[in-house]
PDB file of all heavy atoms in Angstrom:
ATOM      1  N   ARG A  57       0.815  -1.210  -0.015  1.00 98.00           N
ATOM      2  CA  ARG A  57       0.018   0.009  -0.035  1.00 98.00           C
ATOM      3  C   ARG A  57       0.870   1.275  -0.030  1.00 98.00           C
ATOM      4  O   ARG A  57       1.926   1.293   0.597  1.00 98.00           O
ATOM      5  CB  ARG A  57      -0.907  -0.009   1.248  1.00 98.00           C
ATOM      6  CG  ARG A  57      -1.943  -1.132   1.181  1.00 98.00           C
ATOM      7  CD  ARG A  57      -2.874  -1.055   2.379  1.00 98.00           C
ATOM      8  NE  ARG A  57      -3.877  -2.115   2.347  1.00 98.00           N
ATOM      9  CZ  ARG A  57      -3.659  -3.371   2.748  1.00 98.00           C
ATOM     10  NH1 ARG A  57      -2.554  -3.728   3.271  1.00 98.00           N
ATOM     11  NH2 ARG A  57      -4.670  -4.249   2.631  1.00 98.00           N
ATOM     12  N   SER A  58       0.341   2.280  -0.650  1.00 97.00           N
ATOM     13  CA  SER A  58       0.951   3.600  -0.615  1.00 97.00           C
ATOM     14  C   SER A  58       2.423   3.587  -1.059  1.00 97.00           C
ATOM     15  O   SER A  58       3.260   4.151  -0.320  1.00 97.00           O
ATOM     16  CB  SER A  58       0.744   4.292   0.714  1.00 97.00           C
ATOM     17  OG  SER A  58      -0.629   4.360   1.016  1.00 97.00           O
ATOM     18  N   ILE A  59       2.727   2.992  -2.157  1.00 98.00           N
ATOM     19  CA  ILE A  59       4.056   3.064  -2.704  1.00 98.00           C
ATOM     20  C   ILE A  59       4.272   4.419  -3.247  1.00 98.00           C
ATOM     21  O   ILE A  59       3.525   4.865  -4.157  1.00 98.00           O
ATOM     22  CB  ILE A  59       4.305   1.969  -3.818  1.00 98.00           C
ATOM     23  CG1 ILE A  59       3.964   0.585  -3.279  1.00 98.00           C
ATOM     24  CG2 ILE A  59       5.734   2.085  -4.298  1.00 98.00           C
ATOM     25  CD1 ILE A  59       3.980  -0.522  -4.353  1.00 98.00           C
ATOM     26  N   ALA A  60       5.179   5.151  -2.720  1.00 98.00           N
ATOM     27  CA  ALA A  60       5.374   6.573  -3.032  1.00 98.00           C
ATOM     28  C   ALA A  60       5.762   6.782  -4.501  1.00 98.00           C
ATOM     29  O   ALA A  60       6.422   5.959  -5.133  1.00 98.00           O
ATOM     30  CB  ALA A  60       6.462   7.191  -2.134  1.00 98.00           C
ATOM     31  N   ALA A  61       5.339   7.949  -5.064  1.00 97.00           N
ATOM     32  CA  ALA A  61       5.747   8.302  -6.383  1.00 97.00           C
ATOM     33  C   ALA A  61       7.253   8.390  -6.455  1.00 97.00           C
ATOM     34  O   ALA A  61       7.892   8.855  -5.566  1.00 97.00           O
ATOM     35  CB  ALA A  61       5.152   9.652  -6.740  1.00 97.00           C
ATOM     36  N   GLY A  62       7.813   7.828  -7.491  1.00 96.00           N
ATOM     37  CA  GLY A  62       9.280   7.879  -7.680  1.00 96.00           C
ATOM     38  C   GLY A  62      10.046   6.939  -6.798  1.00 96.00           C
ATOM     39  O   GLY A  62      11.339   6.973  -6.770  1.00 96.00           O
ATOM     40  N   ASP A  63       9.412   6.078  -6.037  1.00 97.00           N
ATOM     41  CA  ASP A  63      10.108   5.193  -5.117  1.00 97.00           C
ATOM     42  C   ASP A  63      10.814   4.080  -5.881  1.00 97.00           C
ATOM     43  O   ASP A  63      10.156   3.240  -6.562  1.00 97.00           O
ATOM     44  CB  ASP A  63       9.147   4.537  -4.126  1.00 97.00           C
ATOM     45  CG  ASP A  63       9.813   3.686  -3.091  1.00 97.00           C
ATOM     46  OD1 ASP A  63      10.971   3.316  -3.265  1.00 97.00           O
ATOM     47  OD2 ASP A  63       9.127   3.383  -2.078  1.00 97.00           O
ATOM     48  N   PRO A  64      12.220   4.026  -5.858  1.00 97.00           N
ATOM     49  CA  PRO A  64      12.915   3.033  -6.639  1.00 97.00           C
ATOM     50  C   PRO A  64      13.038   1.675  -5.967  1.00 97.00           C
ATOM     51  O   PRO A  64      13.578   0.721  -6.537  1.00 97.00           O
ATOM     52  CB  PRO A  64      14.313   3.641  -6.745  1.00 97.00           C
ATOM     53  CG  PRO A  64      14.408   4.437  -5.502  1.00 97.00           C
ATOM     54  CD  PRO A  64      13.043   4.956  -5.172  1.00 97.00           C
ATOM     55  N   SER A  65      12.503   1.524  -4.730  1.00 97.00           N
ATOM     56  CA  SER A  65      12.595   0.238  -4.080  1.00 97.00           C
ATOM     57  C   SER A  65      11.903  -0.876  -4.817  1.00 97.00           C
ATOM     58  O   SER A  65      10.848  -0.627  -5.432  1.00 97.00           O
ATOM     59  CB  SER A  65      11.947   0.366  -2.682  1.00 97.00           C
ATOM     60  OG  SER A  65      12.509   1.389  -1.914  1.00 97.00           O
ATOM     61  N   LEU A  66      12.480  -2.031  -4.733  1.00 97.00           N
ATOM     62  CA  LEU A  66      11.868  -3.214  -5.347  1.00 97.00           C
ATOM     63  C   LEU A  66      10.896  -3.817  -4.316  1.00 97.00           C
ATOM     64  O   LEU A  66      11.242  -3.918  -3.126  1.00 97.00           O
ATOM     65  CB  LEU A  66      12.855  -4.251  -5.770  1.00 97.00           C
ATOM     66  CG  LEU A  66      13.707  -3.915  -7.031  1.00 97.00           C
ATOM     67  CD1 LEU A  66      14.717  -5.013  -7.217  1.00 97.00           C
ATOM     68  CD2 LEU A  66      12.846  -3.638  -8.180  1.00 97.00           C
ATOM     69  N   ARG A  67       9.721  -4.184  -4.759  1.00 98.00           N
ATOM     70  CA  ARG A  67       8.771  -4.886  -3.940  1.00 98.00           C
ATOM     71  C   ARG A  67       8.581  -6.229  -4.602  1.00 98.00           C
ATOM     72  O   ARG A  67       8.024  -6.347  -5.703  1.00 98.00           O
ATOM     73  CB  ARG A  67       7.472  -4.149  -3.852  1.00 98.00           C
ATOM     74  CG  ARG A  67       7.780  -2.863  -3.083  1.00 98.00           C
ATOM     75  CD  ARG A  67       6.938  -2.167  -2.544  1.00 98.00           C
ATOM     76  NE  ARG A  67       7.052  -1.128  -1.661  1.00 98.00           N
ATOM     77  CZ  ARG A  67       7.712   0.072  -1.737  1.00 98.00           C
ATOM     78  NH1 ARG A  67       8.479   0.231  -2.738  1.00 98.00           N
ATOM     79  NH2 ARG A  67       7.579   0.966  -0.821  1.00 98.00           N
ATOM     80  N   CYS A  68       9.032  -7.285  -3.911  1.00 98.00           N
ATOM     81  CA  CYS A  68       9.061  -8.651  -4.505  1.00 98.00           C
ATOM     82  C   CYS A  68       8.232  -9.645  -3.646  1.00 98.00           C
ATOM     83  O   CYS A  68       8.306  -9.622  -2.399  1.00 98.00           O
ATOM     84  CB  CYS A  68      10.486  -9.197  -4.531  1.00 98.00           C
ATOM     85  SG  CYS A  68      11.608  -8.128  -5.476  1.00 98.00           S
ATOM     86  N   HIS A  69       7.430 -10.482  -4.339  1.00 98.00           N
ATOM     87  CA  HIS A  69       6.674 -11.453  -3.704  1.00 98.00           C
ATOM     88  C   HIS A  69       6.585 -12.684  -4.506  1.00 98.00           C
ATOM     89  O   HIS A  69       6.707 -12.702  -5.748  1.00 98.00           O
ATOM     90  CB  HIS A  69       5.257 -10.932  -3.418  1.00 98.00           C
ATOM     91  CG  HIS A  69       5.262  -9.794  -2.444  1.00 98.00           C
ATOM     92  ND1 HIS A  69       5.396  -9.928  -1.101  1.00 98.00           N
ATOM     93  CD2 HIS A  69       5.207  -8.465  -2.635  1.00 98.00           C
ATOM     94  CE1 HIS A  69       5.371  -8.757  -0.487  1.00 98.00           C
ATOM     95  NE2 HIS A  69       5.284  -7.811  -1.447  1.00 98.00           N
ATOM     96  N   ALA A  70       6.323 -13.818  -3.896  1.00 98.00           N
ATOM     97  CA  ALA A  70       6.167 -15.107  -4.538  1.00 98.00           C
ATOM     98  C   ALA A  70       5.217 -16.006  -3.761  1.00 98.00           C
ATOM     99  O   ALA A  70       5.115 -15.777  -2.538  1.00 98.00           O
ATOM    100  CB  ALA A  70       7.511 -15.827  -4.740  1.00 98.00           C
ATOM    101  N   PRO A  71       4.558 -16.919  -4.367  1.00 98.00           N
ATOM    102  CA  PRO A  71       4.437 -17.152  -5.839  1.00 98.00           C
ATOM    103  C   PRO A  71       3.377 -16.178  -6.438  1.00 98.00           C
ATOM    104  O   PRO A  71       2.316 -16.050  -5.943  1.00 98.00           O
ATOM    105  CB  PRO A  71       3.922 -18.603  -5.947  1.00 98.00           C
ATOM    106  CG  PRO A  71       3.098 -18.741  -4.707  1.00 98.00           C
ATOM    107  CD  PRO A  71       3.787 -17.888  -3.630  1.00 98.00           C
ATOM    108  N   VAL A  72       3.762 -15.545  -7.504  1.00 98.00           N
ATOM    109  CA  VAL A  72       2.880 -14.480  -8.119  1.00 98.00           C
ATOM    110  C   VAL A  72       2.756 -14.771  -9.625  1.00 98.00           C
ATOM    111  O   VAL A  72       3.773 -15.045 -10.294  1.00 98.00           O
ATOM    112  CB  VAL A  72       3.396 -13.078  -7.842  1.00 98.00           C
ATOM    113  CG1 VAL A  72       2.671 -12.025  -8.592  1.00 98.00           C
ATOM    114  CG2 VAL A  72       3.297 -12.781  -6.364  1.00 98.00           C
ATOM    115  N   LEU A  73       1.570 -14.622 -10.183  1.00 98.00           N
ATOM    116  CA  LEU A  73       1.346 -14.610 -11.618  1.00 98.00           C
ATOM    117  C   LEU A  73       0.763 -13.313 -12.130  1.00 98.00           C
ATOM    118  O   LEU A  73       0.991 -12.964 -13.278  1.00 98.00           O
ATOM    119  CB  LEU A  73       0.367 -15.758 -11.946  1.00 98.00           C
ATOM    120  CG  LEU A  73       0.170 -16.097 -13.423  1.00 98.00           C
ATOM    121  CD1 LEU A  73       1.448 -16.614 -14.039  1.00 98.00           C
ATOM    122  CD2 LEU A  73      -0.985 -17.056 -13.620  1.00 98.00           C
ATOM    123  N   THR A  74       0.097 -12.551 -11.210  1.00 98.00           N
ATOM    124  CA  THR A  74      -0.494 -11.284 -11.584  1.00 98.00           C
ATOM    125  C   THR A  74      -0.274 -10.250 -10.557  1.00 98.00           C
ATOM    126  O   THR A  74      -0.154 -10.551  -9.341  1.00 98.00           O
ATOM    127  CB  THR A  74      -2.013 -11.351 -11.856  1.00 98.00           C
ATOM    128  OG1 THR A  74      -2.643 -11.751 -10.614  1.00 98.00           O
ATOM    129  CG2 THR A  74      -2.354 -12.360 -12.923  1.00 98.00           C
ATOM    130  N   VAL A  75      -0.147  -8.985 -10.986  1.00 98.00           N
ATOM    131  CA  VAL A  75      -0.083  -7.819 -10.129  1.00 98.00           C
ATOM    132  C   VAL A  75      -1.089  -6.815 -10.565  1.00 98.00           C
ATOM    133  O   VAL A  75      -1.119  -6.466 -11.773  1.00 98.00           O
ATOM    134  CB  VAL A  75       1.373  -7.216 -10.068  1.00 98.00           C
ATOM    135  CG1 VAL A  75       1.403  -5.999  -9.164  1.00 98.00           C
ATOM    136  CG2 VAL A  75       2.388  -8.219  -9.649  1.00 98.00           C
ATOM    137  N   LEU A  76      -1.903  -6.313  -9.649  1.00 98.00           N
ATOM    138  CA  LEU A  76      -2.834  -5.256  -9.930  1.00 98.00           C
ATOM    139  C   LEU A  76      -2.328  -4.007  -9.316  1.00 98.00           C
ATOM    140  O   LEU A  76      -2.189  -3.881  -8.106  1.00 98.00           O
ATOM    141  CB  LEU A  76      -4.237  -5.615  -9.363  1.00 98.00           C
ATOM    142  CG  LEU A  76      -5.362  -4.570  -9.485  1.00 98.00           C
ATOM    143  CD1 LEU A  76      -5.646  -4.243 -10.961  1.00 98.00           C
ATOM    144  CD2 LEU A  76      -6.586  -4.996  -8.736  1.00 98.00           C
ATOM    145  N   GLU A  77      -2.101  -3.000 -10.157  1.00 97.00           N
ATOM    146  CA  GLU A  77      -1.659  -1.655  -9.726  1.00 97.00           C
ATOM    147  C   GLU A  77      -2.850  -0.711  -9.719  1.00 97.00           C
ATOM    148  O   GLU A  77      -3.565  -0.631 -10.723  1.00 97.00           O
ATOM    149  CB  GLU A  77      -0.510  -1.142 -10.525  1.00 97.00           C
ATOM    150  CG  GLU A  77       0.724  -2.033 -10.457  1.00 97.00           C
ATOM    151  CD  GLU A  77       1.937  -1.493 -11.283  1.00 97.00           C
ATOM    152  OE1 GLU A  77       1.714  -0.623 -12.157  1.00 97.00           O
ATOM    153  OE2 GLU A  77       3.035  -1.956 -11.023  1.00 97.00           O
ATOM    154  N   LEU A  78      -3.028   0.021  -8.643  1.00 97.00           N
ATOM    155  CA  LEU A  78      -4.157   0.927  -8.493  1.00 97.00           C
ATOM    156  C   LEU A  78      -3.741   2.224  -7.846  1.00 97.00           C
ATOM    157  O   LEU A  78      -2.610   2.323  -7.362  1.00 97.00           O
ATOM    158  CB  LEU A  78      -5.174   0.306  -7.469  1.00 97.00           C
ATOM    159  CG  LEU A  78      -5.681  -1.127  -7.804  1.00 97.00           C
ATOM    160  CD1 LEU A  78      -6.047  -1.850  -6.571  1.00 97.00           C
ATOM    161  CD2 LEU A  78      -6.819  -0.964  -8.759  1.00 97.00           C
ATOM    162  N   THR A  79      -4.582   3.230  -7.847  1.00 95.00           N
ATOM    163  CA  THR A  79      -4.265   4.440  -7.120  1.00 95.00           C
ATOM    164  C   THR A  79      -4.095   4.216  -5.657  1.00 95.00           C
ATOM    165  O   THR A  79      -4.720   3.287  -5.128  1.00 95.00           O
ATOM    166  CB  THR A  79      -5.410   5.522  -7.331  1.00 95.00           C
ATOM    167  OG1 THR A  79      -6.580   4.980  -6.824  1.00 95.00           O
ATOM    168  CG2 THR A  79      -5.520   5.918  -8.733  1.00 95.00           C
ATOM    169  N   SER A  80      -3.259   4.919  -5.056  1.00 96.00           N
ATOM    170  CA  SER A  80      -2.974   4.748  -3.605  1.00 96.00           C
ATOM    171  C   SER A  80      -4.288   4.859  -2.813  1.00 96.00           C
ATOM    172  O   SER A  80      -5.050   5.838  -3.002  1.00 96.00           O
ATOM    173  CB  SER A  80      -1.948   5.785  -3.156  1.00 96.00           C
ATOM    174  OG  SER A  80      -1.638   5.580  -1.764  1.00 96.00           O
ATOM    175  N   GLY A  81      -4.451   3.914  -1.922  1.00 97.00           N
ATOM    176  CA  GLY A  81      -5.677   3.887  -1.027  1.00 97.00           C
ATOM    177  C   GLY A  81      -6.738   3.033  -1.598  1.00 97.00           C
ATOM    178  O   GLY A  81      -7.690   2.649  -0.832  1.00 97.00           O
ATOM    179  N   ALA A  82      -6.692   2.608  -2.861  1.00 97.00           N
ATOM    180  CA  ALA A  82      -7.763   1.791  -3.465  1.00 97.00           C
ATOM    181  C   ALA A  82      -7.801   0.403  -2.911  1.00 97.00           C
ATOM    182  O   ALA A  82      -8.853  -0.210  -2.899  1.00 97.00           O
ATOM    183  CB  ALA A  82      -7.577   1.734  -4.922  1.00 97.00           C
ATOM    184  N   ALA A  83      -6.694  -0.110  -2.392  1.00 97.00           N
ATOM    185  CA  ALA A  83      -6.638  -1.466  -1.906  1.00 97.00           C
ATOM    186  C   ALA A  83      -6.661  -1.589  -0.361  1.00 97.00           C
ATOM    187  O   ALA A  83      -6.280  -2.656   0.147  1.00 97.00           O
ATOM    188  CB  ALA A  83      -5.396  -2.197  -2.461  1.00 97.00           C
ATOM    189  N   LEU A  84      -7.179  -0.549   0.271  1.00 97.00           N
ATOM    190  CA  LEU A  84      -7.197  -0.586   1.750  1.00 97.00           C
ATOM    191  C   LEU A  84      -7.886  -1.797   2.364  1.00 97.00           C
ATOM    192  O   LEU A  84      -7.490  -2.338   3.384  1.00 97.00           O
ATOM    193  CB  LEU A  84      -7.854   0.660   2.266  1.00 97.00           C
ATOM    194  CG  LEU A  84      -7.012   1.951   2.276  1.00 97.00           C
ATOM    195  CD1 LEU A  84      -7.810   3.148   2.729  1.00 97.00           C
ATOM    196  CD2 LEU A  84      -5.763   1.746   3.116  1.00 97.00           C
ATOM    197  N   SER A  85      -8.946  -2.291   1.692  1.00 97.00           N
ATOM    198  CA  SER A  85      -9.707  -3.401   2.269  1.00 97.00           C
ATOM    199  C   SER A  85      -9.254  -4.763   1.824  1.00 97.00           C
ATOM    200  O   SER A  85      -9.696  -5.774   2.294  1.00 97.00           O
ATOM    201  CB  SER A  85     -11.227  -3.239   1.957  1.00 97.00           C
ATOM    202  OG  SER A  85     -11.437  -3.358   0.582  1.00 97.00           O
ATOM    203  N   VAL A  86      -8.312  -4.796   0.880  1.00 98.00           N
ATOM    204  CA  VAL A  86      -7.821  -6.094   0.342  1.00 98.00           C
ATOM    205  C   VAL A  86      -6.826  -6.683   1.301  1.00 98.00           C
ATOM    206  O   VAL A  86      -5.944  -6.027   1.816  1.00 98.00           O
ATOM    207  CB  VAL A  86      -7.176  -5.827  -1.043  1.00 98.00           C
ATOM    208  CG1 VAL A  86      -6.595  -7.163  -1.576  1.00 98.00           C
ATOM    209  CG2 VAL A  86      -8.155  -5.263  -1.999  1.00 98.00           C
ATOM    210  N   GLN A  87      -6.960  -8.023   1.508  1.00 98.00           N
ATOM    211  CA  GLN A  87      -6.140  -8.775   2.412  1.00 98.00           C
ATOM    212  C   GLN A  87      -5.544 -10.016   1.805  1.00 98.00           C
ATOM    213  O   GLN A  87      -6.177 -10.557   0.845  1.00 98.00           O
ATOM    214  CB  GLN A  87      -6.944  -9.215   3.666  1.00 98.00           C
ATOM    215  CG  GLN A  87      -7.557  -8.074   4.440  1.00 98.00           C
ATOM    216  CD  GLN A  87      -6.533  -7.176   5.084  1.00 98.00           C
ATOM    217  OE1 GLN A  87      -5.501  -7.609   5.595  1.00 98.00           O
ATOM    218  NE2 GLN A  87      -6.796  -5.851   5.009  1.00 98.00           N
ATOM    219  N   PRO A  88      -4.419 -10.528   2.246  1.00 98.00           N
ATOM    220  CA  PRO A  88      -3.961 -11.811   1.776  1.00 98.00           C
ATOM    221  C   PRO A  88      -5.069 -12.892   1.970  1.00 98.00           C
ATOM    222  O   PRO A  88      -5.831 -12.825   2.914  1.00 98.00           O
ATOM    223  CB  PRO A  88      -2.711 -12.091   2.693  1.00 98.00           C
ATOM    224  CG  PRO A  88      -2.246 -10.719   3.029  1.00 98.00           C
ATOM    225  CD  PRO A  88      -3.475  -9.925   3.190  1.00 98.00           C
ATOM    226  N   HIS A  89      -5.097 -13.778   1.019  1.00 97.00           N
ATOM    227  CA  HIS A  89      -6.038 -14.859   0.919  1.00 97.00           C
ATOM    228  C   HIS A  89      -7.381 -14.428   0.287  1.00 97.00           C
ATOM    229  O   HIS A  89      -8.234 -15.286   0.076  1.00 97.00           O
ATOM    230  CB  HIS A  89      -6.304 -15.530   2.307  1.00 97.00           C
ATOM    231  CG  HIS A  89      -5.104 -15.969   2.981  1.00 97.00           C
ATOM    232  ND1 HIS A  89      -4.300 -17.006   2.445  1.00 97.00           N
ATOM    233  CD2 HIS A  89      -4.463 -15.499   4.016  1.00 97.00           C
ATOM    234  CE1 HIS A  89      -3.226 -17.168   3.218  1.00 97.00           C
ATOM    235  NE2 HIS A  89      -3.288 -16.281   4.194  1.00 97.00           N
ATOM    236  N   ASP A  90      -7.603 -13.123  -0.016  1.00 98.00           N
ATOM    237  CA  ASP A  90      -8.708 -12.715  -0.844  1.00 98.00           C
ATOM    238  C   ASP A  90      -8.482 -13.303  -2.254  1.00 98.00           C
ATOM    239  O   ASP A  90      -7.433 -13.827  -2.562  1.00 98.00           O
ATOM    240  CB  ASP A  90      -8.794 -11.198  -0.964  1.00 98.00           C
ATOM    241  CG  ASP A  90      -9.311 -10.561   0.365  1.00 98.00           C
ATOM    242  OD1 ASP A  90      -9.738 -11.271   1.251  1.00 98.00           O
ATOM    243  OD2 ASP A  90      -9.235  -9.310   0.431  1.00 98.00           O
TER     244      ASP A  90
END
C-alpha cells in the first residue's frame, strides 16, 4: 500500500502470476487470501 511516487525500491513477492496496480488507497480493504 501507498508506494510513493518515484520510489525506486523493489517490492518482491512469490508465488505470483499477476499484479494489480491501483491508485494509492484503493486496496485498503484487500487482504492476503482474498
Side-chain angles (χ1 to χ4, degrees):
R57 293 181 179 86
S58 299
I59 303 171
D63 185 344
S65 304
L66 289 179
R67 293 198 167 59
C68 303
H69 296 281
V72 171
L73 188 66
T74 62
V75 177
L76 175 61
E77 297 182 343
L78 305 152
T79 58
S80 183
L84 282 176
S85 64
V86 178
Q87 300 296 320
H89 307 293
D90 287 351

